[in-house]
Structure formats: structure tokens, C-alpha cells
Amino acid sequence: MKFELVALLRNLLAGLRLAIFLPVRAFDYRVSVAHFSVLLGFNFALWVASAAVRSGFEGEFDPAAIMAYLAAVPLVLGAAALVAHFYRAHGRLLLVATALSASDACFELVGLVLPAVAGLAGEPRAAAALFLLWIWAVSVRAVVVCMGTRRPQVLKSAIAVTAMIAISFFAFPRTEVWNTAGDEDTIEPLAEEPLFHLQGRLIERALAAINPGRSGVRELYFVGFAPDASHPGFLSEMRFVRRLFDERFGTGGRSIALISSAQALDEFPIASVTNLSRALARVGEAMNGDEDMLFLFVSAHGDPDHHLSAVQPPLDLAPLTPTALARMLQEAGIKWRVIVVSACYSGGFVEPLRDANTIVITASAPDRSSFGCQTGREFTYFGEAYFRDALGRTGSFEEAFAIAKEALARREKEEKLTPSLPQIWVGPAIAERLKNAPDRPDKD
């Protein structure tokens, strides 16, 4: 046992040196059927442990996922056999297979922290591409270290390694060995008949609860829209913001929140574009058009095409776009409005929504990411800076933006993030209307 553990440590060390491009030689690896089996066993145990960390040490072990993992073993051996054939060195098959597997622990550990790092950097796709390129470069280096650089053998071997990685990443199913309760909740609840039928009653009750405006009194209405159930932070943030407006800005009885979330299907109507259109139409009917004002808060993931994510399995929901939102507001006849969009690339909402009677605030520029959607957070960075902190100090939506923008710039600089560059448009007519307004709107 001690002999096998020493061999394992030497293989892992060689794999680490290979992965970080330090000098390594073929005879640094310990090669035998037993050594290779122990290495595979260690990699499997690390894969299971990493999956447990990702799941928060919750859920149930899924034995079926083991088959997907074990399917990679003959794939590695097949690639190693091709490499050995190309070099006419069949006795080195197990050496190549060991070298191809010895760096897996490095890949697993980096993959564990990669989503958080990519989220902070705001470039998840680029991070995934760089991760895949790294694995490919290390695998090709493993061939060169074990077999040399003879041509055309090394070129043929590089093709074999590329095929191995492509099949592993794109043909094999990506399966987690731990099934968490959270994963099940995001897929199944709305498919249950009681919750499915409850949704119709929830939206009808929420619309009916919106009180009409009082003549001669300027009042504020609130609509919240969080259409992405994949991140629980959108739910907690929207709950806080609605409560803030009901208590501090007097929107109680004049507010509605539409939230897609597996945890709140019996509490809120889902945030579909159809429900948003109905909510805005109802608010438009209830408001005194020349007196009252709407505060619309939208929070979701955004993409470079300025579409907001819409996730509520098993439904296939349409994403919200700037032009669709502008059309809904126009059709609802809502004159005075403050619109806050918290999402990556949300600056793309400014131009379609801007007019003389509107304030548009976005968490980022049209070509920039915003931050704070990591697992475990209750607020996005923008939501925390604007709603929790800035609006706790002032009732002015414009002044709160200035406070939040400065705070975000400091935080992003400290964390070495690409600046999100929050945007604001203030129409001249609404600016004049709010100039002499009190620090907080009238309450009931």
C-alpha cells in the first residue's frame, strides 16, 4: 500500500508539473497496471468530492452518474493506443494513458473554482473556452513528453487527443453525481397540478389587489419583474425591493411582484412576459395618468443582444427585450415612469425606453457585464448599492444612482473587475416634475 501511495504522489506531482508547464520527463511517471488503477481511483474520488462541494454537501448520491464517468476510461486508453500506434511504440501505451490522466486532479480543482472566478470577471464563455484550451494543450504536451516530437507522428497524435477531448466534452452527457433538492425543485414543482392551477389564481388576485389612485394626490406604483428562476438571489432581492417600496415609498396596495422561482411558486405569479403585460395594463388602468408615477424594477441575467433571461422549468418562456417593454408601457398608457434594469448589458434598454417623461437606470453599459450573481448572495452588486444602501439614505432616485455608481466603481476597482459603468437617462419633463417633490413620495 505504501508503495502504491508513493507512486500515486509521484504521478500527481508529474501531472501538476505538466499542467503548469514546468519541466517534466517521461520517467517521472510511475507506470504499471496497478499504478494506473490507483490513479484512476484517486481521480474518481476527487470527482465525487468536488461534486459534493458544488452541491453544498446536500442531496443524494446518483450511482447512474458513475457510468458516465467510467466511460472516459476506455476513451483515454483508446487515445493512448492510437498515439502508441502512430509512434510504433506499443509498449508505451500505459505511459501515455498515465500521463493523460495524471493532470486530471488539477483540472478538477480549477474547474471547481472556475465558475466563481468567471462570474467575477463577467466572462463565463471566455473562461470556459480558455479552460478547454488549457486541457488540450496539457494533453498534447503529455504526448510530447512521453513520445517525443517526431513528425508526422506528433501531428497525428494531436488529432487523436483533440478527438478524445471533443468526445468527452461534447458527446458524453454531463452528469452530476449528487442530485440536490434544489436541482429537483427547479425542474418539477410547476409540473405539479395544484401549483400549475394556482398560478392562474395568483395573477388574478395580484392584479385585483392593485388599488386605484386618489384624485389630487401624487402616488407611486411599483411593478417588480424577476424572470429567471435559476438564481435564488433574484427572489431575495425582489422581495427586499418590494418591501422597501411598500414601507418607505408608500406603494402598499399599489404594488405587484412577478417572480419566477421554484421556492415561491405558491407566493408570486411567475414572471412571464404575458404576466408583465397584464400587470402594466392593470397599473395603467388604476393610475391617475397625469398625477401618478410607476417604478418598474427588472432583475435578471442579460446577454449581449440585450435579451433578459427567462427561466421557469418546465415552461419555455420568451425573453424580455427593450422594444417589447417599450411597447407594453406605451400600450398601458403609463405617462410618468422610473425604470431600473439590473442585468448584464442592460444599458441596451436606455435608448428604446428614453423619453421626456421617463427615468431609465441600468446596472451596466450596453457592452458591459454587471456582477454579484454568485450562489449564496442575496443581492446583485447593483441591487445592493442602489436599493439596500443608496435608497436607505435618500428618497431621490437620481441621487441614489449617483451614490450607487460611486460605490460600485470603488468596489469593482478593489476587486479588479472590468467596470460595469451603470447608466442613467433623465427625461426633462420628469426632471422638472421631481425637482420640487418631497424627499419621499406621499404615503397612504
Side-chain angles (χ1 to χ4, degrees):
M1 179 62 70
K2 181 179 179 181
F3 179 70
E4 292 298 338
L5 289 177
V6 170
L8 173 63
L9 289 175
R10 288 185 176 275
N11 281 331
L12 293 175
L13 179 59
L16 173 62
R17 295 180 67 86
L18 187 81
I20 60 178
F21 300 98
L22 291 177
V24 62
R25 297 158 298 184
F27 56 78
D28 289 331
Y29 294 98
R30 296 297 178 263
V31 181
S32 74
V33 173
H35 297 340
F36 182 64
S37 300
V38 171
L39 177 61
L40 291 180
F42 176 83
N43 289 342
F44 174 76
L46 184 60
W47 173 67
V48 173
S50 298
V53 172
R54 284 192 294 271
S55 69
F57 299 97
E58 297 179 352
E60 297 181 356
F61 187 79
D62 181 10
I66 298 175
M67 298 306 298
Y69 180 87
L70 294 179
V73 176
L75 188 62
V76 171
L77 291 172
L82 284 175
V83 172
H85 173 73
F86 294 145
Y87 280 87
R88 297 186 182 278
H90 297 91
R92 292 195 172 189
L93 185 156
L94 202 54
L95 169 63
V96 176
T98 299
L100 289 173
S101 303
S103 299
D104 284 359
C106 301
F107 301 148
E108 191 67 52
L109 294 175
V110 172
L112 189 62
V113 300
L114 186 65
V117 175
L120 289 174
E123 296 291 345
R125 293 181 180 177
L130 288 174
F131 183 63
L132 193 58
L133 180 62
W134 177 49
I135 293 175
W136 176 84
V138 172
S139 299
V140 172
R141 187 176 184 227
V143 171
V144 171
V145 166
C146 294
M147 307 297 282
T149 58
R150 284 183 292 154
R151 297 181 183 177
Q153 289 90 338
V154 69
L155 298 178
K156 293 179 180 179
S157 298
I159 293 173
V161 166
T162 303
M164 175 192 72
I165 295 173
I167 293 171
S168 176
F169 273 84
F170 302 111
F172 285 5
R174 307 308 298 168
T175 307
E176 282 289 0
V177 72
W178 293 98
N179 289 325
T180 65
D183 292 337
E184 294 172 359
D185 288 345
T186 58
I187 297 173
E188 297 179 1
L190 198 56
E192 298 175 3
E193 186 173 355
L195 284 176
F196 178 79
H197 290 291
L198 176 62
Q199 276 296 314
R201 296 195 295 273
L202 284 176
I203 185 62
E204 293 298 336
R205 285 204 298 261
L207 295 175
I210 297 175
N211 296 327
R214 298 169 296 178
S215 180
V217 181
R218 287 186 177 183
E219 296 176 309
L220 185 67
Y221 283 74
F222 174 85
V223 174
F225 185 71
D228 194 327
S230 67
H231 180 50
F234 294 133
L235 169 64
S236 59
E237 184 172 81
M238 188 61 73
R239 276 179 169 152
F240 175 88
V241 174
R242 186 191 188 186
R243 185 169 63 252
L244 170 71
F245 273 78
D246 283 355
E247 295 174 358
R248 174 165 163 71
F249 292 90
T251 60
R254 294 186 300 278
S255 69
I256 181 172
L258 308 174
I259 305 175
S260 293
S261 171
Q263 290 76 40
L265 285 171
D266 58 350
E267 182 181 356
F268 297 102
I270 62 172
S272 66
V273 170
T274 300
N275 279 349
L276 178 60
S277 180
R278 294 181 66 188
L280 293 174
R282 172 62 188 136
V283 167
E285 292 174 358
M287 298 172 76
N288 292 315
D290 291 327
E291 295 176 342
D292 300 334
M293 184 166 63
L294 167 69
F295 190 100
L296 171 62
F297 173 46
V298 180
S299 182
H301 293 300
D303 66 21
D305 295 325
H306 310 131
H307 295 175
L308 298 186
S309 57
V311 179
Q312 182 61 78
L315 301 180
D316 184 13
L317 299 178
L320 181 65
T321 65
T323 52
L325 180 57
R327 184 176 65 251
M328 286 184 226
L329 290 165
Q330 188 68 26
E331 292 174 350
I334 299 174
K335 180 179 180 180
W336 304 106
R337 54 219 192 185
V338 179
I339 304 169
V340 176
V341 183
S342 178
C344 292
Y345 311 104
S346 52
F349 277 73
V350 173
E351 192 61 34
L353 297 175
R354 60 186 286 177
D355 66 19
N357 304 321
T358 302
I359 295 175
V360 185
I361 294 171
T362 65
S364 63
D367 59 346
R368 296 294 179 93
S369 297
S370 55
F371 306 100
C373 291
Q374 297 92 342
T375 300
R377 288 190 56 84
E378 294 186 355
F379 292 88
T380 60
Y381 282 12
F382 179 82
E384 184 176 292
Y386 185 77
F387 291 105
R388 195 195 71 175
D389 298 337
L391 281 181
R393 296 166 54 184
T394 177
S396 166
F397 303 133
E398 299 164 78
E399 184 180 349
F401 175 80
I403 295 170
K405 183 178 181 180
E406 182 179 350
L408 281 169
R410 285 197 307 270
R411 182 173 193 170
E412 290 166 351
K413 183 177 181 180
E414 290 171 358
E415 298 183 11
K416 295 181 173 56
L417 301 174
T418 302
S420 55
L421 303 180
Q423 304 288 298
I424 187 171
W425 158 262
V426 182
I430 197 169
E432 185 66 27
R433 170 192 165 96
L434 295 176
K435 185 184 298 181
N436 300 316
D439 184 58
R440 56 193 292 187
D442 291 329
K443 282 187 150 190
D444 288 335

